[in-house]
Structures are given as C-alpha cells and as structure tokens.
C-alpha cells in the first residue's frame, strides 16, 4: 500500500477566494453568512446564506467558457487552478495517464436548471441554449478539470448529498493508495443558492432564519452555503522525489450506511464510520486531537454526532477538540467536506484549530470541547473529518501531520 | 354542508397517521397517532395548502414554535388563529 499526501489546495467559498483568505477568516472566526442576494428573494422565507461574494464570472471566464460552466463548475475550476498550481504538477505523458479527478456535488448545475425551467415555464420560451445539458450535468466540473489539465486516469463524480466531497476524496485516496493512480484531483463543489434551490430546502423546515450555531443549545437549524474546495492527492514517494511541498498525509477513510431513515441520522452509522476511519488509519482514538464535525446546527445532527463521538472516543472524548466551520461558511452540501478539509489542513500544518462560532449556550447533549467562538493554537498530529448525509450515507477521513 | 376547520385538520392528520378520520380524537397527541417528524412536516405542508396560510414551524425547535402541536385540539386552535390572522 502506498502512502498518500496532499500537495495542493484551492478554494473559493463564502470566507474567501483562496486558501490563504479562508485560513485567515477561520483563524479570526469570521462569519461569511449574510442576507441572500438572489432573484425573487422576497418570495423566500429563508433569506440568509453563505454566498460567494465579490464574484463576477466575467472576470474569470470568457463567453465560451461561461456557456459551458455552471456556477458550480466555475467554482471548481477556480479552486482546481489554485490547487494544481500550488502542487507544481504538470500532467503530461505517463503522469497524465495515471492522474484523474474525482469530485463531489449534490445539485450539480442546479442554477442552470433553475434558470432554464424559469425560461420555459415562467417566461413561456420554447427554446433553450444548446449546451444546457452538458452545463447542468453533475460530472461537468470533473470533466472540465480533466480536459483543462490533461488528466486521463480514473475520473468521475460522486453524489451522496452532504457527504459527496468526503466520499469523493475517500475514493481518490484509495485510488492512489492502491496504485491505481499516482495523483488525483479531488474535492467538491456546490452552488444551490438560487430561488428553486433555497425553496426546496425551506420545505424541510430545518433551516435557520438567523444563524448557524452548531452545538449551541439555542441552535435552530442549518444555513446553506456555496463554493468549492479542491485538493491534489499524490503518492508520497512521487511527491518526495520531486521535492514537493507536502501539506499533510491522508491515512484513513471509512464509509457506512445507516440503512434506517431517509433524513434522520443514526448514531450507530456515524459511530461505525468514525471507528472505521481510525481502523483504516491504524490509529487509536486517543491519538486524535481534532475532529472537524459535520455539525450542521440542526437538532438531529448535532446530538447524534456528539453521541457518536462520545461512543467511539470513550473517556478521550473530553480531550478531543471538535469544531464545525459551517458556523462560518454555511453548509456547502456536496462541496462541504472539501472546504471543511481546509480546517483540518490548517490544524495539522499551522497548529491552529478553527472555531465553532455563534456558540452561545452549552447543550448537555453536546457536551464536548467544540472550540467555541475563538480559534485555538494546538499541536495536532491526527485529525478526522466527518460527513453524514441525508439518506444515511456516512464518510469519515483521517489525516496526519507530516 | 361545509366541512369545518376541525374536520379538515382531522382529515389531514388522519391521512398522515394512516387512520380513518373517525379514529382520530381531539385529545390525542402526535405521539399517540405515531406521527413522526417527517409526517408532521408533511401535515403542516398539507395544512398550509388546504387553508392557504403560512404556518410558523421549525423542526429544530418544535416546542418553541408559536404553532402548538401538543395535541390535535391545539393544532385545530392554532390553525383557526392563523386563518383569522392571515385572512386579509
């Protein structure tokens, strides 16, 4: 089995348009959630979200590209460029054939669907642009990354709702570890902050109208976000031989299914995924200092997740730090695990643990060290990143300082 | 005969509980009727559609909602209040 390291990271999300800007916001505990600026917002009852701000597609992409890049693909391309440039990799010849791209998304080109349904149903148009299908398909982002950077190895898209990115990164990790690829571009992207996207979530009645406050007793729901996170996963010897700057190592991954309810999470399913990641990494729970929580800010998730961590970590649960950065960037659904992995990279590489902001009242059912409101300096050797999706599909990654 | 607000709410609740409306009584709780959180959210949606009202309800804090769901009777009363409030 080969060792797998991260040699590049890129992002655009509500906290910033780069990894450096995101790290700075996470260190400062800044909130990227605010009033939604979208068409027909007055007809929504949920009017807040974590939007990518100060962004104009025209500044980044030409007309031909915009005809093919939905907003989720645009975010992916921006994040992929940053990650691949940081890695210093150039994909030619053998490496091109042995490198691929696995990305997570839940809604794919939902904004494109929303705009075009509006055109044909509301506005009564009988014609849409010829590229709507290749623009809205869930694998559009993965395919454009593959085409732009000449990645000819295993490439596909994973859709497991809120766990999409973690499932994608887990696949990329295993592909490199098993020798099926030497490098993988991986992560995820989401852009659901359009009228139809928010309206659908409103229906579930799990959304907060004011803020995302994970683990706080007065939490009242989740807040949607948008954006992308992309990483370069590379085989360790390959990275070392070329003198690459290694950010951290991926050491374990596990996925489980609750097989119980389409929306309510299960403590056992989550526990099994966490324990599985530790087992895959061959580490003991007592070695883990930080967990990036799924931490959605809903009553159901936070209680279940804390119970699962307490169950797996036993007495060590009181010593482990567990924070939810969704409090700052919102829930990026299919892209969330990728942006949250940045908090793990920051903890391992810089020794700074991102906080759970908006924390106001302790909840006895979430009685763990949630790193409330302020970032913390800490030496972290091992960390986990949790994702638990609607549909009961769970995916947990384990990472190590290098 | 026009169906009363009570009868219409009972019909919606009964549908979610997979019971005949005659088997639902006003003093029953949602728990008595085995209505879980998903069925409740569906029932609230059905109430909004039936009466053309907006029901303030957040599944994360069902107890804090102004919409009292502690029994079928309180739901009927809450719906009547919302209809009066949102009539114009």
């Amino acid at each position: 089995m080969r060792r797998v390291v991260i040699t590049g990271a890129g992002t655009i999300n509500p906290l910033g348009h780069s990894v450096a800007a995101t790290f700075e916001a996470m260190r400062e505990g800044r909130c990227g959630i605010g009033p939604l600026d979208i068409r027909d917002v007055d007809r929504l009852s949920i009017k807040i979200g974590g939007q990518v701000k100060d962004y104009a597609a025209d500044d980044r992409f030409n007309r031909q590209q915009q005809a093919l890049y939905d907003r989720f693909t645009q975010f992916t391309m921006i994040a992929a460029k940053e990650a691949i440039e940081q890695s210093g990799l150039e994909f030619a010849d053998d490496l091109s054939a042995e490198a691929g791209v696995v990305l997570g998304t839940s809604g794919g080109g939902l904004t494109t669907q929303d705009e075009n349904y509006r055109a044909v149903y509301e506005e009564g148009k009988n014609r849409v642009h010829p590229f709507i299908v290749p623009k809205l398909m869930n694998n559009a982002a993965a395919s454009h990354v593959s085409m732009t950077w000449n990645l000819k190895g295993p490439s596909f898209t994973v859709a497991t709702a809120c766990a999409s990115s973690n499932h994608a990164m887990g696949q990329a990790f295993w592909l490199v570890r098993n020798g099926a690829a030497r490098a993988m571009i991986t992560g995820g992207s989401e852009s659901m902050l359009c009228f139809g996207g928010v309206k659908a979530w409103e229906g579930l009645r799990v959304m907060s109208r004011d803020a995302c406050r994970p683990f706080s007793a007065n939490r009242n729901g989740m807040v949607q976000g948008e954006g992308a996170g992309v990483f370069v996963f590379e085989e360790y010897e390959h990275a070392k031989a070329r003198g690459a700057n290694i950010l951290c190592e991926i050491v374990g991954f596990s996925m489980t299914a609750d097989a119980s309810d389409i929306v309510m999470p299960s403590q056992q399913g989550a526990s099994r995924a966490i324990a599985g990641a530790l087992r895959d990494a061959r580490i003991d729970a007592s070695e883990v200092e930080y967990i990036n929580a799924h931490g959605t800010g809903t009553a159901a998730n936070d209680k279940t997740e804390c119970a699962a961590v307490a169950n797996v970590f036993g007495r060590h649960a009181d010593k482990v730090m567990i924070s939810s950065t969704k409090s700052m960037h919102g829930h990026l659904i299919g892209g969330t695990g990728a942006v949250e992995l940045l908090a793990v990279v920051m903890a391992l590489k810089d020794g700074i643990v991102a906080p759970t902001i908006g924390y106001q009242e302790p909840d006895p059912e979430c009685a763990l060290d949630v790193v409330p409101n302020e970032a913390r300096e800490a030496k972290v050797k091992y960390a986990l990143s949790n994702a638990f999706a609607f549909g009961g599909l769970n995916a947990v990654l384990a990472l190590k300082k290098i | 005969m026009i169906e009363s607000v009570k009868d219409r709410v009972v019909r919606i609740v009964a549908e979610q509980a997979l019971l005949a409306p005659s088997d639902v009584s006003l003093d029953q709780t949602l728990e008595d009727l085995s209505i879980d959180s998903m069925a409740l959210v569906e029932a609230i949606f059905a109430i909004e559609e039936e009466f053309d009202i907006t029901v303030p309800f957040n599944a994360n804090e069902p107890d804090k909602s102004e919409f009292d769901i502690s029994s079928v009777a309180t739901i009927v009363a809450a719906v009547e209040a919302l209809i009066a409030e949102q009539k114009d």
Side-chain angles (χ1 to χ4, degrees), chain A residues 106-234:
Chain A
S106 182
L110 199 77
T111 308
T112 298
Q113 297 197 35
D114 201 56
E115 283 166 2
N116 287 281
Y117 280 140
R118 193 192 289 274
V120 293
Y121 294 140
E122 184 180 321
E123 292 159 12
K125 288 190 179 167
N126 279 329
R127 191 181 299 119
V128 295
H129 189 278
F131 299 159
I132 299 310
V133 167
K135 190 175 181 182
L136 66 76
M137 61 193 191
N138 275 28
N139 60 314
S143 295
H144 284 295
V145 169
S146 151
M147 292 187 288
T148 302
W149 283 279
N150 196 34
L151 304 160
K152 296 179 175 171
S155 298
F156 54 98
T157 294
V158 177
T160 49
C162 316
S164 303
S165 282
N166 271 25
H167 274 114
M169 295 188 291
Q171 300 314 304
F173 165 54
W174 280 352
L175 283 166
V176 177
R177 189 170 75 173
N178 296 339
R182 263 197 282 172
M184 291 297 296
I185 309 306
T186 188
S189 177
E190 200 70 81
S191 173
M192 279 195 190
L193 295 177
C194 54
F195 180 76
V198 178
K199 185 54 87 181
W201 277 100
E202 258 182 35
L204 267 170
R205 298 190 182 252
V206 294
M207 308 296 286
S208 169
R209 285 164 197 255
D210 52 7
C212 176
R213 298 184 208 88
F215 309 120
S216 190
N218 62 345
R219 67 190 178 277
N220 59 7
M222 54 180 270
V223 174
Q224 265 179 280
E226 64 172 358
V230 174
F231 299 88
V232 177
F233 284 13
E234 189 175 348

Side-chain angles (χ1 to χ4, degrees), chain A residues 234-245:
Chain A
E234 189 175 348
E235 193 266 312
Y236 173 65
E237 295 299 337
H238 187 268
K240 206 173 70 170
R242 65 184 189 92
N245 175 30

Side-chain angles (χ1 to χ4, degrees), chain B residues 5-82:
Chain B
V5 170
K6 188 200 88 178
D7 291 344
R8 288 154 80 187
V9 170
V10 166
R11 172 165 49 75
I12 289 166
V13 169
E15 194 184 343
Q16 289 300 329
L18 306 175
L19 294 170
S22 55
D23 293 332
V24 173
S25 64
L26 287 177
D27 59 347
Q28 280 179 303
T29 66
L30 297 179
E31 208 179 354
D32 295 337
L33 295 161
S34 300
I35 290 181
D36 66 8
S37 62
M38 280 183 87
L40 170 61
V41 168
E42 273 200 280
I44 287 172
F45 168 70
I47 286 169
E48 288 183 321
E49 290 284 286
E50 173 83 20
F51 299 101
D52 194 20
I53 55 173
T54 301
V55 176
F57 179 81
N58 180 339
N60 292 291
E61 39 187 15
D63 308 333
K64 280 192 206 164
S65 173
E66 300 144 47
F67 191 75
D68 186 348
I69 52 160
S70 39
S71 72
V72 177
T74 66
I75 294 173
V76 171
V79 169
E80 282 169 341
L82 286 172

